[in-house]
């Protein structure tokens, strides 16, 4: 399997020390002469991985490839896992970090050469450290996926993820949902035939259930992308289950409405892969 540079960095000796790291990127503003860091992020990317959805190598690579361009000055990231509340697989932030913004040229003129050199050296290291943290978290998330988890609380989990997005102080909020987007809980099930195929849902009826169970979230204006929608499990492939276009259209229509009602914009619904890079 070919992994991107992001995941290769995570496999280096010592990278496991960053697993589970929250706010893991030390600021370069540790010298009084440089001043305090900018409080507001330019963009924050939330990568939320459904551990009931088994991805192939190509889709894992796509997740890594779409995360890496965001590890630049002034941005932040969070890697999150979710699946089934009832089986102990709760929504969890595996890793997070923020990279310092570059200094305004006018501000650089007021800083001593010694302090500035130290700052610039730190800024050069930050993206590599961010890649270590994010890559290790992705690897941990993918290794924790399982086809043995009977339930999938997608709606409740996405509501929780929306709250993380809402609280973000970033100017731009981007959410990558890595999931088959198939609810299978006490609220509703999008499956038929004992989980081997997907039923054609009635989006309006499902939205009624969402509202009755208070499962709408608030993303605070985030742009949302999905990788893995409608992904066939190994059991479904063996049973030659088929997910027809009308079934997938109904699924996409439901989530588009759900996200709009939850203060987000669905940019692309990858079935299962994205056709364009995340922006």
């Amino acid at each position: 399997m070919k992994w991107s540079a992001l995941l290769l960095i995570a496999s280096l000796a010592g990278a496991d020390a960053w697993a589970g790291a929250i706010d893991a990127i030390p600021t370069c503003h540790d010298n009084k002469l440089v001043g305090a860091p900018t409080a507001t992020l330019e963009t924050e990317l939330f990568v939320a991985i459904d551990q009931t959805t088994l991805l192939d190598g190509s889709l894992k690579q796509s997740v890594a490839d779409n995360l890496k361009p965001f590890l630049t000055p002034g941005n932040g990231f969070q890697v999150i896992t979710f699946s089934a509340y009832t089986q102990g697989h709760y929504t969890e932030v595996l890793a997070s970090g923020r990279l310092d913004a570059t200094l305004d040229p006018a501000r650089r003129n007021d800083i001593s050469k010694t302090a500035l050199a130290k700052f610039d050296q730190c800024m050069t290291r930050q993206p590599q450290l961010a890649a270590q943290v994010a890559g290790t978290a992705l690897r941990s998330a993918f290794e924790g996926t399982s086809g043995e988890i009977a339930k999938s609380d997608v709606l409740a989990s996405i509501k929780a993820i929306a709250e993380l997005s809402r609280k973000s102080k970033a100017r731009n909020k981007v959410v990558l949902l890595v999931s088959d987007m198939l609810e299978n809980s006490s609220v509703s099930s999008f499956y038929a035939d004992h989980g081997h195929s997907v039923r054609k849902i009635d989006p309006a009826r499902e939205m009624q259930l969402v509202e009755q169970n208070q499962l709408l979230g608030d993303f605070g204006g985030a742009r949302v992308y999905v990788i893995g929608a409608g992904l066939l499990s190994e059991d479904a492939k063996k049973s030659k289950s088929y997910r027809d276009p009308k079934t997938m259209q109904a699924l996409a229509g439901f989530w588009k409405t759900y996200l709009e009602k939850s203060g987000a914009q669905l940019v692309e619904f990858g079935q299962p892969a994205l056709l364009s890079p995340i922006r």
Side-chain angles (χ1 to χ4, degrees):
M1 180 187 302
K2 178 184 176 183
W3 293 100
S4 69
L6 178 66
L7 292 184
L8 285 173
I9 289 173
S11 68
L12 296 176
D16 284 337
W18 298 105
I22 308 301
D23 294 329
I25 314 300
T27 180
C28 295
H29 291 259
D30 60 352
N31 188 309
K32 292 182 180 179
L33 296 176
V34 178
T38 303
T40 303
L41 293 170
E42 182 61 32
T43 300
E44 186 163 18
L45 174 66
F46 301 84
V47 181
I49 299 171
D50 181 351
Q51 293 193 301
T52 68
T53 303
L54 298 173
L55 304 184
D56 61 22
S58 177
L59 289 174
K60 290 177 183 177
Q61 184 72 50
S62 177
V63 175
D65 289 346
N66 277 286
L67 191 161
K68 188 178 180 182
F70 286 86
L71 304 180
T72 56
N75 290 348
F77 68 91
Q78 295 191 39
V79 178
I80 305 154
T81 56
F82 69 94
S83 54
Y85 283 12
T86 56
Q87 295 177 262
H89 294 266
Y90 306 105
T91 304
E92 178 183 6
V93 178
L94 293 187
S96 66
R98 56 180 295 159
L99 290 80
D100 291 316
T102 55
L103 288 178
D104 183 271
R107 189 175 172 187
R108 292 177 67 89
N109 294 333
D110 297 328
I111 302 171
S112 71
K113 289 184 179 180
T114 302
L116 198 57
K118 181 181 178 182
F119 176 82
D120 288 343
Q121 185 179 38
C122 176
M123 288 289 289
T124 300
R125 291 195 302 263
Q126 272 197 345
Q128 183 176 5
L129 177 56
Q132 280 188 329
V133 174
T136 299
L138 286 186
R139 187 178 64 183
S140 176
F142 292 145
E143 289 177 349
T145 58
S146 170
E148 302 302 317
I149 304 171
K151 297 295 183 181
S152 184
D153 292 293
V154 178
L155 286 163
S157 298
I158 290 179
K159 180 181 179 180
I161 293 162
E163 185 65 9
L164 294 175
S165 175
R166 184 190 67 80
K167 290 180 177 178
S168 171
K169 293 181 171 60
R171 292 187 179 92
N172 302 298
K173 305 169 188 181
V174 181
V175 179
L176 173 58
L177 297 174
V178 184
S179 172
D180 58 17
M181 305 302 286
L182 300 174
E183 179 76 4
N184 186 20
S185 70
S186 59
V187 175
S188 182
S189 177
F190 293 179
Y191 287 97
D193 300 330
H194 307 289
H196 288 167
S197 63
V198 181
R199 68 181 176 88
K200 182 182 176 183
I201 63 172
D202 178 346
R205 171 58 182 156
E206 297 301 329
M207 191 54 58
Q208 286 181 348
L209 292 174
V210 165
E211 293 173 343
Q212 288 170 7
N213 288 274
Q214 299 180 330
L215 288 172
L216 286 173
D218 181 359
F219 282 88
R223 303 194 311 277
V224 178
Y225 296 77
V226 174
I227 288 178
L231 193 63
L232 289 167
S233 67
E234 288 303 316
D235 286 341
K237 290 177 183 177
K238 291 175 183 177
S239 65
K240 298 182 180 180
S241 295
Y242 171 63
R243 297 182 181 180
D244 64 88
K246 290 185 178 179
T247 295
M248 293 304 300
Q249 185 177 18
L251 182 66
F254 165 78
W255 283 111
K256 183 176 186 295
T257 301
Y258 174 90
L259 290 166
E260 287 175 349
K261 286 179 175 285
S262 297
Q265 175 194 1
L266 178 59
V267 180
E268 188 173 346
F269 196 68
Q271 302 182 38
L274 293 174
L275 299 180
S276 302
I278 293 176
R279 301 188 186 281

